Amino acid sequence: MKSTSERYNSLASSYIKLSDEFHQLDVAHMGLKQKLLPAIKAIKNYQSLTHQLQQDNTKLEQTIQTLTDQQQHLEEDQRTLKAKEVEQSIIINMLTDEKTNLQAALEEFQTKYDALADFESLLQSRPQAVLAEAEQQMALVEETLQEIALNSDPDLSENEQQLIEAYQDEDESLFISMEILKDSSSLKVPNILPFVA
């Protein structure tokens, strides 16, 4: 059977290891939150921009169709009204230029929409599942923190917890507890002190 000093030394080592692992988990948790929040904001911004581009695309297509209809109408008037041939030709050229400009603008918007379409993949089931899993992990971490806040040493006896509290507070109760353990287990104090220090 292990002596109290050996048990205390083993417990202290385990506590240090657990503390290091918890610190690493906390750092990873904060890093994950910092990575997730910008991604979620970017997704929402891209969704909004994509929706706006789709609306602009629809309006531009309607405008181009209207201009195309007007151009056809003017071409029919040109065949029936020879006297207005020059005037109609100027109007047709202006409308053609406007159509070209609008077509170029439509292509530019289409290019932007195509560039943003890749971000729609973030809304699919796999990224959403990863996000949900990350949220569950963060909930577990928060639950662990709450449990630790209530009782950071659930596996220790009351006497052992009092020893650790006395050591942390650095008051005389630590030495009183050592005298009690010395009387009850016949262990010498010098065998315990090196591990406490």
Side-chain angles (χ1 to χ4, degrees):
M1 181 175 180
K2 292 184 179 179
S3 66
T4 302
S5 62
E6 290 174 337
R7 291 169 61 194
Y8 183 81
N9 186 38
S10 175
L11 177 62
S13 299
S14 298
Y15 182 80
I16 292 171
K17 182 179 178 182
L18 178 61
S19 177
D20 289 341
E21 290 178 355
F22 182 79
H23 177 69
Q24 293 174 3
L25 179 62
D26 184 57
V27 170
H29 169 239
M30 294 303 296
L32 178 61
K33 286 175 70 175
Q34 290 176 356
K35 291 177 182 178
L36 282 178
L37 290 176
I40 293 172
K41 290 179 181 178
I43 289 173
K44 289 187 176 180
N45 289 337
Y46 286 127
Q47 281 180 326
S48 177
L49 181 56
T50 299
H51 180 69
Q52 184 61 44
L53 288 174
Q54 287 174 337
Q55 289 181 337
D56 293 341
N57 183 40
T58 301
K59 290 178 181 179
L60 285 172
E61 287 178 347
Q62 292 173 350
T63 302
I64 290 172
Q65 183 61 45
T66 299
L67 291 173
T68 301
D69 294 339
Q70 290 176 0
Q71 182 178 2
Q72 292 174 352
H73 180 67
L74 288 172
E75 289 174 350
E76 292 174 359
D77 288 343
Q78 184 181 27
R79 289 190 295 267
T80 57
L81 302 173
K82 296 293 183 180
K84 296 183 178 180
E85 182 176 351
V86 175
E87 181 182 354
Q88 290 179 346
S89 177
I90 293 172
I91 294 174
I92 288 172
N93 289 337
M94 290 175 60
L95 290 173
T96 302
D97 291 340
E98 186 176 356
K99 176 184 175 181
T100 301
N101 293 335
L102 288 172
Q103 185 67 43
L106 174 62
E107 291 174 359
E108 181 181 354
F109 276 108
Q110 186 65 43
T111 300
K112 292 180 180 178
Y113 173 79
D114 292 340
L116 296 173
D118 293 338
F119 290 97
E120 291 181 355
S121 63
L122 295 176
L123 301 176
Q124 295 178 358
S125 59
R126 175 60 182 163
Q128 290 295 316
V130 171
L131 179 60
E133 182 179 353
E135 291 173 341
Q136 290 176 358
Q137 293 299 326
M138 286 190 286
L140 288 175
V141 169
E142 291 176 358
E143 183 179 344
T144 302
L145 288 174
Q146 292 174 359
E147 291 176 357
I148 289 174
L150 294 175
N151 187 359
S152 61
D153 299 307
D155 295 331
L156 300 182
S157 68
E158 184 176 349
N159 287 337
E160 290 170 334
Q161 290 181 7
Q162 290 175 356
L163 279 174
I164 291 176
E165 289 175 2
Y167 175 73
Q168 291 172 344
D169 294 339
E170 296 182 0
D171 58 19
E172 295 180 0
S173 63
L174 173 64
F175 300 102
I176 295 173
S177 299
M178 285 183 178
E179 290 298 327
I180 294 172
L181 287 176
K182 178 181 177 183
D183 294 338
S184 63
S185 63
S186 299
L187 290 177
K188 295 181 179 179
V189 173
N191 292 337
I192 299 177
L193 285 176
F195 296 102
V196 175

